[in-house]
Amino acid sequence: MEIQISGGIVRRVRGGQGAPMTGLAIQARTIANFLPLICERAGANIVHNADANYTGIRFDTKVGPVVLEIPSGDRPYRIVHELIEPDEKGRTEVEMRRISQIYKPQGIAHITAEFLRTRGFLK
């Protein structure tokens, strides 16, 4: 499933109709196709967030949403834990890991899934 966020309005993109066809969106779909079943059970969704300026794959884990942000340019992939309430420092997200762009989509999917599984984010 794909979700698009723009102007604070969240809408579901059904059947690819009206879905962004940018390079980041295509890359997110490619990685999502290689995610193992445990990630699919966690509710993995492709998110196009124009407000926060990222495209990524969001996992609804037992401790809150975790996002694999797809990089633009030559920056690394980032696995970010989005906090429901700001913490005592005022942060709304915590970067947990960076993944270099040297890996193929299969590798990114595998590294992400194993990171979430071994850290107890997935059931």
Side-chain angles (χ1 to χ4, degrees), residues 74-94:
D74 53 351
R75 296 183 304 168
Y77 292 87
R78 293 181 346 135
I79 299 177
V80 178
H81 183 208
E82 292 183 340
L83 305 174
I84 297 169
E85 295 288 327
D87 64 359
E88 56 277 349
K89 296 179 183 175
R91 299 179 301 179
T92 57
E93 65 180 30
V94 176

Side-chain angles (χ1 to χ4, degrees), residues 32-96:
N33 284 333
F34 292 110
L35 288 172
L37 183 59
I38 192 167
C39 292
E40 297 298 326
R41 284 192 201 134
N45 298 314
I46 298 172
V47 178
H48 310 285
N49 192 335
D51 295 344
N53 199 24
Y54 74 81
T55 294
I57 302 170
R58 180 179 177 175
F59 305 91
D60 296 322
T61 66
K62 57 186 175 183
V63 292
V66 175
V67 177
L68 170 66
E69 292 184 359
I70 308 300
S72 57
D74 53 351
R75 296 183 304 168
Y77 292 87
R78 293 181 346 135
I79 299 177
V80 178
H81 183 208
E82 292 183 340
L83 305 174
I84 297 169
E85 295 288 327
D87 64 359
E88 56 277 349
K89 296 179 183 175
R91 299 179 301 179
T92 57
E93 65 180 30
V94 176
E95 181 178 310
M96 298 187 299

Side-chain angles (χ1 to χ4, degrees), residues 102-114:
I102 62 171
Y103 298 102
K104 294 180 181 180
Q106 295 95 328
I108 299 296
H110 177 73
I111 291 168
T112 302
E114 283 301 302

